[in-house]
mmCIF file with all atom_site columns, all heavy atoms in Angstrom:
data_model
loop_
_atom_site.group_PDB
_atom_site.id
_atom_site.type_symbol
_atom_site.label_atom_id
_atom_site.label_alt_id
_atom_site.label_comp_id
_atom_site.label_asym_id
_atom_site.label_entity_id
_atom_site.label_seq_id
_atom_site.pdbx_PDB_ins_code
_atom_site.Cartn_x
_atom_site.Cartn_y
_atom_site.Cartn_z
_atom_site.occupancy
_atom_site.B_iso_or_equiv
_atom_site.pdbx_formal_charge
_atom_site.auth_seq_id
_atom_site.auth_comp_id
_atom_site.auth_asym_id
_atom_site.auth_atom_id
_atom_site.pdbx_PDB_model_num
ATOM 1  N N   . LEU G 1 68 ? -43.925 113.204 -84.162 1.00 96.00 ? 68 LEU G N   1
ATOM 2  C CA  . LEU G 1 68 ? -44.888 114.224 -84.527 1.00 96.00 ? 68 LEU G CA  1
ATOM 3  C C   . LEU G 1 68 ? -46.114 113.584 -85.152 1.00 96.00 ? 68 LEU G C   1
ATOM 4  O O   . LEU G 1 68 ? -46.005 112.799 -86.090 1.00 96.00 ? 68 LEU G O   1
ATOM 5  C CB  . LEU G 1 68 ? -44.254 115.213 -85.525 1.00 96.00 ? 68 LEU G CB  1
ATOM 6  C CG  . LEU G 1 68 ? -43.028 115.980 -85.036 1.00 96.00 ? 68 LEU G CG  1
ATOM 7  C CD1 . LEU G 1 68 ? -42.513 116.902 -86.135 1.00 96.00 ? 68 LEU G CD1 1
ATOM 8  C CD2 . LEU G 1 68 ? -43.353 116.777 -83.781 1.00 96.00 ? 68 LEU G CD2 1
ATOM 9  N N   . ILE G 1 69 ? -47.269 113.947 -84.632 1.00 94.00 ? 69 ILE G N   1
ATOM 10 C CA  . ILE G 1 69 ? -48.516 113.388 -85.142 1.00 94.00 ? 69 ILE G CA  1
ATOM 11 C C   . ILE G 1 69 ? -49.376 114.513 -85.672 1.00 94.00 ? 69 ILE G C   1
ATOM 12 O O   . ILE G 1 69 ? -49.568 115.529 -85.032 1.00 94.00 ? 69 ILE G O   1
ATOM 13 C CB  . ILE G 1 69 ? -49.259 112.621 -84.029 1.00 94.00 ? 69 ILE G CB  1
ATOM 14 C CG1 . ILE G 1 69 ? -48.482 111.348 -83.686 1.00 94.00 ? 69 ILE G CG1 1
ATOM 15 C CG2 . ILE G 1 69 ? -50.680 112.273 -84.466 1.00 94.00 ? 69 ILE G CG2 1
ATOM 16 C CD1 . ILE G 1 69 ? -49.023 110.602 -82.499 1.00 94.00 ? 69 ILE G CD1 1
ATOM 17 N N   . ASN G 1 70 ? -49.883 114.273 -86.891 1.00 92.00 ? 70 ASN G N   1
ATOM 18 C CA  . ASN G 1 70 ? -50.768 115.230 -87.525 1.00 92.00 ? 70 ASN G CA  1
ATOM 19 C C   . ASN G 1 70 ? -52.025 114.518 -87.984 1.00 92.00 ? 70 ASN G C   1
ATOM 20 O O   . ASN G 1 70 ? -51.953 113.478 -88.628 1.00 92.00 ? 70 ASN G O   1
ATOM 21 C CB  . ASN G 1 70 ? -50.056 115.888 -88.721 1.00 92.00 ? 70 ASN G CB  1
ATOM 22 C CG  . ASN G 1 70 ? -50.918 116.946 -89.362 1.00 92.00 ? 70 ASN G CG  1
ATOM 23 O OD1 . ASN G 1 70 ? -51.772 116.667 -90.193 1.00 92.00 ? 70 ASN G OD1 1
ATOM 24 N ND2 . ASN G 1 70 ? -50.699 118.185 -88.973 1.00 92.00 ? 70 ASN G ND2 1
ATOM 25 N N   . HIS G 1 71 ? -53.177 115.088 -87.668 1.00 90.00 ? 71 HIS G N   1
ATOM 26 C CA  . HIS G 1 71 ? -54.456 114.462 -88.036 1.00 90.00 ? 71 HIS G CA  1
ATOM 27 C C   . HIS G 1 71 ? -55.279 115.548 -88.722 1.00 90.00 ? 71 HIS G C   1
ATOM 28 O O   . HIS G 1 71 ? -56.215 116.079 -88.154 1.00 90.00 ? 71 HIS G O   1
ATOM 29 C CB  . HIS G 1 71 ? -55.129 113.950 -86.766 1.00 90.00 ? 71 HIS G CB  1
ATOM 30 C CG  . HIS G 1 71 ? -56.246 112.982 -87.016 1.00 90.00 ? 71 HIS G CG  1
ATOM 31 N ND1 . HIS G 1 71 ? -56.598 112.017 -86.093 1.00 90.00 ? 71 HIS G ND1 1
ATOM 32 C CD2 . HIS G 1 71 ? -57.081 112.820 -88.049 1.00 90.00 ? 71 HIS G CD2 1
ATOM 33 C CE1 . HIS G 1 71 ? -57.599 111.315 -86.560 1.00 90.00 ? 71 HIS G CE1 1
ATOM 34 N NE2 . HIS G 1 71 ? -57.912 111.771 -87.739 1.00 90.00 ? 71 HIS G NE2 1
ATOM 35 N N   . ALA G 1 72 ? -54.893 115.839 -89.965 1.00 83.00 ? 72 ALA G N   1
ATOM 36 C CA  . ALA G 1 72 ? -55.440 116.995 -90.662 1.00 83.00 ? 72 ALA G CA  1
ATOM 37 C C   . ALA G 1 72 ? -56.815 116.758 -91.261 1.00 83.00 ? 72 ALA G C   1
ATOM 38 O O   . ALA G 1 72 ? -57.517 117.704 -91.568 1.00 83.00 ? 72 ALA G O   1
ATOM 39 C CB  . ALA G 1 72 ? -54.470 117.437 -91.748 1.00 83.00 ? 72 ALA G CB  1
ATOM 40 N N   . SER G 1 73 ? -57.195 115.505 -91.444 1.00 89.00 ? 73 SER G N   1
ATOM 41 C CA  . SER G 1 73 ? -58.511 115.233 -92.009 1.00 89.00 ? 73 SER G CA  1
ATOM 42 C C   . SER G 1 73 ? -59.141 114.051 -91.279 1.00 89.00 ? 73 SER G C   1
ATOM 43 O O   . SER G 1 73 ? -58.500 113.398 -90.467 1.00 89.00 ? 73 SER G O   1
ATOM 44 C CB  . SER G 1 73 ? -58.400 114.914 -93.494 1.00 89.00 ? 73 SER G CB  1
ATOM 45 O OG  . SER G 1 73 ? -57.932 113.595 -93.693 1.00 89.00 ? 73 SER G OG  1
ATOM 46 N N   . LEU G 1 74 ? -60.391 113.791 -91.588 1.00 88.00 ? 74 LEU G N   1
ATOM 47 C CA  . LEU G 1 74 ? -61.118 112.718 -90.905 1.00 88.00 ? 74 LEU G CA  1
ATOM 48 C C   . LEU G 1 74 ? -60.708 111.334 -91.372 1.00 88.00 ? 74 LEU G C   1
ATOM 49 O O   . LEU G 1 74 ? -61.180 110.333 -90.832 1.00 88.00 ? 74 LEU G O   1
ATOM 50 C CB  . LEU G 1 74 ? -62.622 112.905 -91.103 1.00 88.00 ? 74 LEU G CB  1
ATOM 51 C CG  . LEU G 1 74 ? -63.237 114.058 -90.320 1.00 88.00 ? 74 LEU G CG  1
ATOM 52 C CD1 . LEU G 1 74 ? -64.668 114.300 -90.765 1.00 88.00 ? 74 LEU G CD1 1
ATOM 53 C CD2 . LEU G 1 74 ? -63.195 113.776 -88.826 1.00 88.00 ? 74 LEU G CD2 1
ATOM 54 N N   . THR G 1 75 ? -59.844 111.273 -92.375 1.00 91.00 ? 75 THR G N   1
ATOM 55 C CA  . THR G 1 75 ? -59.426 109.969 -92.874 1.00 91.00 ? 75 THR G CA  1
ATOM 56 C C   . THR G 1 75 ? -57.920 109.760 -92.879 1.00 91.00 ? 75 THR G C   1
ATOM 57 O O   . THR G 1 75 ? -57.445 108.725 -93.332 1.00 91.00 ? 75 THR G O   1
ATOM 58 C CB  . THR G 1 75 ? -59.950 109.735 -94.309 1.00 91.00 ? 75 THR G CB  1
ATOM 59 O OG1 . THR G 1 75 ? -59.429 110.772 -95.151 1.00 91.00 ? 75 THR G OG1 1
ATOM 60 C CG2 . THR G 1 75 ? -61.466 109.753 -94.353 1.00 91.00 ? 75 THR G CG2 1
ATOM 61 N N   . LEU G 1 76 ? -57.169 110.725 -92.387 1.00 93.00 ? 76 LEU G N   1
ATOM 62 C CA  . LEU G 1 76 ? -55.714 110.599 -92.456 1.00 93.00 ? 76 LEU G CA  1
ATOM 63 C C   . LEU G 1 76 ? -55.037 111.115 -91.196 1.00 93.00 ? 76 LEU G C   1
ATOM 64 O O   . LEU G 1 76 ? -55.256 112.237 -90.755 1.00 93.00 ? 76 LEU G O   1
ATOM 65 C CB  . LEU G 1 76 ? -55.177 111.378 -93.663 1.00 93.00 ? 76 LEU G CB  1
ATOM 66 C CG  . LEU G 1 76 ? -53.649 111.466 -93.797 1.00 93.00 ? 76 LEU G CG  1
ATOM 67 C CD1 . LEU G 1 76 ? -53.057 110.068 -94.015 1.00 93.00 ? 76 LEU G CD1 1
ATOM 68 C CD2 . LEU G 1 76 ? -53.265 112.386 -94.943 1.00 93.00 ? 76 LEU G CD2 1
ATOM 69 N N   . SER G 1 77 ? -54.189 110.266 -90.641 1.00 94.00 ? 77 SER G N   1
ATOM 70 C CA  . SER G 1 77 ? -53.305 110.669 -89.551 1.00 94.00 ? 77 SER G CA  1
ATOM 71 C C   . SER G 1 77 ? -51.892 110.260 -89.950 1.00 94.00 ? 77 SER G C   1
ATOM 72 O O   . SER G 1 77 ? -51.699 109.206 -90.564 1.00 94.00 ? 77 SER G O   1
ATOM 73 C CB  . SER G 1 77 ? -53.690 109.972 -88.242 1.00 94.00 ? 77 SER G CB  1
ATOM 74 O OG  . SER G 1 77 ? -52.755 110.276 -87.213 1.00 94.00 ? 77 SER G OG  1
ATOM 75 N N   . THR G 1 78 ? -50.929 111.099 -89.622 1.00 96.00 ? 78 THR G N   1
ATOM 76 C CA  . THR G 1 78 ? -49.537 110.772 -89.941 1.00 96.00 ? 78 THR G CA  1
ATOM 77 C C   . THR G 1 78 ? -48.679 110.826 -88.686 1.00 96.00 ? 78 THR G C   1
ATOM 78 O O   . THR G 1 78 ? -48.910 111.635 -87.787 1.00 96.00 ? 78 THR G O   1
ATOM 79 C CB  . THR G 1 78 ? -48.947 111.734 -90.989 1.00 96.00 ? 78 THR G CB  1
ATOM 80 O OG1 . THR G 1 78 ? -48.976 113.070 -90.469 1.00 96.00 ? 78 THR G OG1 1
ATOM 81 C CG2 . THR G 1 78 ? -49.724 111.672 -92.293 1.00 96.00 ? 78 THR G CG2 1
ATOM 82 N N   . LEU G 1 79 ? -47.714 109.931 -88.664 1.00 97.00 ? 79 LEU G N   1
ATOM 83 C CA  . LEU G 1 79 ? -46.710 109.892 -87.600 1.00 97.00 ? 79 LEU G CA  1
ATOM 84 C C   . LEU G 1 79 ? -45.362 110.127 -88.240 1.00 97.00 ? 79 LEU G C   1
ATOM 85 O O   . LEU G 1 79 ? -44.982 109.392 -89.162 1.00 97.00 ? 79 LEU G O   1
ATOM 86 C CB  . LEU G 1 79 ? -46.729 108.540 -86.894 1.00 97.00 ? 79 LEU G CB  1
ATOM 87 C CG  . LEU G 1 79 ? -45.551 108.244 -85.950 1.00 97.00 ? 79 LEU G CG  1
ATOM 88 C CD1 . LEU G 1 79 ? -45.600 109.141 -84.729 1.00 97.00 ? 79 LEU G CD1 1
ATOM 89 C CD2 . LEU G 1 79 ? -45.565 106.767 -85.507 1.00 97.00 ? 79 LEU G CD2 1
ATOM 90 N N   . THR G 1 80 ? -44.658 111.153 -87.803 1.00 97.00 ? 80 THR G N   1
ATOM 91 C CA  . THR G 1 80 ? -43.319 111.419 -88.302 1.00 97.00 ? 80 THR G CA  1
ATOM 92 C C   . THR G 1 80 ? -42.310 111.181 -87.194 1.00 97.00 ? 80 THR G C   1
ATOM 93 O O   . THR G 1 80 ? -42.394 111.813 -86.138 1.00 97.00 ? 80 THR G O   1
ATOM 94 C CB  . THR G 1 80 ? -43.192 112.869 -88.817 1.00 97.00 ? 80 THR G CB  1
ATOM 95 O OG1 . THR G 1 80 ? -44.140 113.081 -89.876 1.00 97.00 ? 80 THR G OG1 1
ATOM 96 C CG2 . THR G 1 80 ? -41.788 113.122 -89.364 1.00 97.00 ? 80 THR G CG2 1
#
Side-chain angles (χ1 to χ4, degrees):
Chain G
L68 299 179
I69 290 173
N70 183 276
H71 195 153
S73 77
L74 288 170
T75 59
L76 174 64
S77 175
T78 61
L79 168 68
T80 301

